Amino acid sequence: MHILLLTDIPPCTNYTAGLVQKQLCEFLFEEGHQVSCVSIVDPSLTPCIPDSIREKFSVFLSFDKPNEGYGRRKFGALNSLIFNNYNRKIFLPFLANKISNEIRNSNNTFDLIWSVIQGQTMICLVPKVANKLNLEYVVEIWDPPEWWLDENHFDSYSYHKVMKAFKRLLLNAKCCLAASHNMAKEYKEKYSAVCVPVIPSLKAYSPFIKKSDNSEFHIGYSGQIYSKNEFSAFIDSLDSIKWTYQGKRIILYVFTDYIDTVILKQHPNIKSSGWIPQEELLKRLSCMDLCYCPYRFDKKFEVIARLSFPSKLTSYLKSGVPVLVHAPVYSSISNFIKDGITGYVCNTTNIDDIAEKVKLIINDGNRESIGMNGYQLFLKFLTNETMKKSFYKSLGMRDTNYEHCTD
């Protein structure tokens, strides 16, 4: 099978979404399938595509992604109305023609378009390219488009047009690769779309490393801090108990390049290691007593909390360390983790309540077994084998007798 990957983030090693695309491409290459890639990338991004992937593409084309952030500028609504509609009506049809012509001139035959969807560009571009090449398409969605449009301050007219196009996109897609079970269920009900949950995964093997020093309680956090208010509330809760409980000094290890240095100066118990490679991260996480996973409570982010799934949770569960999910009750991760069974759940931003939850966790004699229950959850839903099976199902491929995509 020859698949045309149409994406705004190519398989790469330096962006989370790119790492997922890299893994999915490797699944295809392992089974002898062909992949070509058309990448429409924001010029400010610098994806590092490994040679092991780049050399295997039958065709690789790259184009600049048009600006989708006009609404962030002065006179935002007017800028959004003018430029986003110019892109939708004029530039994107032009780009679709250019892509289609170059693909035809490559003299390759394709069986299917696999597209990664985020924002107006990909929502409007994919059906046009598919129509011109007379190909069916599947769509991969990590975050609901409402979030992207809100973040980029789309005017109400452009917003309505894009969401209408999104509905048509899902109706006409062969299958939707959904970021969570919640998203698959909701998009099936709302858009009558055929959906398969394809959640970021990792290899099943976990080299558990136990922490030797029990005089301290170590908490781990990895990735960008999108949930800033929740993260701040968590820090405030630790401040309220002076970063100590039951004689244990509490240390928060943050594995990210994206933390304010002011926070580090004000809180000596927060240790930043910066970004580290995945394998090293897993080893470091497995030495923690607890991993912290926040999601935003703000109602304007409800749709993303409800439908998306943070890839950091996969890493946390693989480590065998218990997870504290700090998220609203309606979020996908609050539904995925069972409090006191496969992890811990805190559905409030009240500082005193968060502090009490931390105390409960430190006192819990079953904490280690809860961490292992979380690892069993990882083995059931979040391994590469599970992801590969779901991915092949979404593509309608059998591989080793995988059945065709059904809802």
Side-chain angles (χ1 to χ4, degrees), residues 70 77-93 120 154-159 161-162:
Y70 290 107
L78 181 60
N79 270 317
S80 171
L81 180 65
I82 294 170
F83 291 106
N84 283 318
N85 282 285
Y86 167 81
N87 283 338
R88 182 173 56 84
K89 292 181 178 181
I90 298 174
F91 181 75
L92 292 180
Q120 167 178 282
F154 269 55
D155 64 281
S156 58
Y157 176 79
S158 302
Y159 188 106
K161 285 292 185 181
V162 175

Side-chain angles (χ1 to χ4, degrees), residues 25 72 200 287-288 295 346 382:
C25 283
R72 292 174 174 270
C287 296
M288 298 295 127
Y295 240 22
C346 181
L382 301 173

Side-chain angles (χ1 to χ4, degrees), residues 2 12 46 109 143-144 241 322 339:
H2 195 168
C12 63
T46 55
T109 301
D143 294 311
I241 58 173
D339 189 34

Side-chain angles (χ1 to χ4, degrees), residues 144-146 159 163 166-167 170-171 182-193 195 303 306-307:
E146 294 96 324
Y159 188 106
M163 291 307 301
F166 181 69
K167 180 178 180 179
L170 290 185
L171 278 172
N182 281 15
M183 181 184 285
K185 182 176 183 292
E186 184 162 322
Y187 282 4
K188 177 184 175 182
E189 294 171 351
K190 187 174 182 179
Y191 299 113
S192 300
C195 295
V303 66
R306 196 175 67 245
L307 302 184

Side-chain angles (χ1 to χ4, degrees), residues 35 45 78 129 180 201 208 235 269 306 324 329 333 335 374 402:
V35 180
L45 301 182
L78 181 60
V129 174
S180 67
S201 68
F208 298 123
I235 292 175
N269 283 37
R306 196 175 67 245
L324 171 59
V329 67
I333 56 176
N335 293 326
Y402 290 142

Side-chain angles (χ1 to χ4, degrees), residues 127-166:
K128 297 181 189 302
V129 174
N131 183 58
K132 290 180 181 298
L133 296 176
N134 194 28
L135 290 172
E136 290 185 308
Y137 61 87
V138 299
V139 294
E140 177 184 346
I141 303 172
W142 294 118
D143 294 311
E146 294 96 324
W147 168 79
W148 183 260
L149 301 179
D150 286 337
E151 282 287 293
N152 287 285
H153 304 296
F154 269 55
D155 64 281
S156 58
Y157 176 79
S158 302
Y159 188 106
H160 171 75
K161 285 292 185 181
V162 175
M163 291 307 301
K164 190 173 180 180
F166 181 69

Side-chain angles (χ1 to χ4, degrees), residues 25 44 49 72 92 177 225 249 267 272 307 314 316 376:
C25 283
S44 68
I49 305 174
R72 292 174 174 270
L92 292 180
L177 290 69
I225 305 173
R249 182 181 178 223
H267 298 87
S272 177
L307 302 184
T314 300
Y316 290 172
Q376 292 302 316

Side-chain angles (χ1 to χ4, degrees), residues 31 47 106 114 159 165 169 182 244 262 284 293 310 318-319 342 348 350 380 401 405:
E31 302 296 334
S106 73
W114 156 36
Y159 188 106
L169 177 82
N182 281 15
T244 185
V262 174
R284 296 289 299 275
C293 187
K318 177 173 176 173
S319 74
T342 54
T348 178
N350 180 276
K380 184 174 181 179
N401 294 321
C405 179

